[in-house]
Amino acid sequence: MTSSVLDLAPVVPVVVLEDAVDAVPLGRALVAGGLPAIEVTLRTAAALDAIAAIADGVEDAVVGAGTVVSARNVTDTVAAGARFLVSPGWTDALLDAMRASGVPFLPGVSTTSEVVALLERGVTEMKFFPAEAAGGTAYLKALSSPLPQARFCPTGGISAASAPSYLALPNVGCVGGSWMVPADAVAAKDWARVERLAREAAALRA
């Protein structure tokens, strides 16, 4: 795997799974569609089992953990097989834990001061969250001139329609989104639809 989460694919699917049974077929559909990096959020009781299932059962998937907010989250998800970590925000303690994990990580930021603080600590790759609510493409574009060394994965409110405008920015490596894993498709186990939506997302930066 590349050392950078930002370079795996133009879009990182943000996945919320209520049942770990769905993890492998969902993961296979996303990989088949061209999206190998899969962020499973820690918003459900099934999340750790889902991460383990994808890590063990989906060849070519690079499964990561999202909504990582504590050192315990870091330990548990890496033990389950997570190969990258994403947080909605960061503290010194959380940053230390993610750095010590040995896997790539994207700490979350939404202000210029947070970006500068991470750059001081040698971190140049970050999640920009919540992207749309925090200023969207205009905000990121404004950051690119004074802080060109910072690269982002914007997540939060991004759609298939708005993703290309983010991906066109020089400081955006990829975007995170859930539009290719709609809840109704997952509930119906419509993996063909997920694969089609993933393929369309993968082509956004062809």
Side-chain angles (χ1 to χ4, degrees):
M1 163 183 163
T2 171
S3 60
S4 172
V5 181
L6 301 185
D7 298 326
L8 287 170
V11 180
V12 176
V14 178
V15 174
V16 180
L17 282 171
E18 301 291 344
D19 190 340
V21 170
D22 294 328
V24 167
L26 177 69
R28 286 176 178 161
L30 291 169
V31 170
L35 299 180
I38 303 168
E39 176 188 334
V40 177
T41 71
L42 299 183
R43 299 180 199 171
T44 68
L48 286 175
D49 288 340
I51 289 169
I54 293 172
D56 292 341
V58 185
E59 190 176 2
D60 298 327
V62 181
V63 65
T67 324
V68 173
V69 295
S70 69
R72 175 67 182 271
N73 288 164
V74 173
T75 303
D76 289 349
T77 55
V78 172
R83 293 169 62 187
F84 65 91
L85 306 170
V86 184
S87 70
W90 67 276
T91 64
D92 286 330
L94 179 58
L95 187 66
D96 288 345
M98 290 195 294
R99 200 191 292 269
S101 72
V103 301
F105 58 91
L106 295 174
V109 297
S110 61
T111 69
T112 308
S113 293
E114 291 170 321
V115 175
V116 172
L118 283 175
L119 291 174
E120 277 188 352
R121 290 161 174 78
V123 178
T124 58
E125 299 188 343
M126 311 164 196
K127 170 179 177 172
F128 180 59
F129 176 83
E132 286 287 279
T137 55
Y139 193 98
L140 285 170
K141 187 175 182 180
L143 288 181
S144 65
S145 183
L147 300 170
Q149 65 272 52
R151 294 178 74 217
F152 301 95
C153 174
T155 305
I158 298 175
S159 66
S162 63
S165 60
Y166 281 94
L167 292 169
L169 296 174
N171 56 348
V172 169
C174 63
V175 299
S178 56
W179 73 85
M180 74 300 299
V181 284
D184 60 337
V186 176
K189 303 187 188 299
D190 189 350
W191 310 126
R193 180 181 169 203
V194 171
E195 182 179 339
R196 175 176 58 79
L197 291 169
R199 185 168 286 111
E200 292 169 2
L204 289 175
R205 187 193 273 158

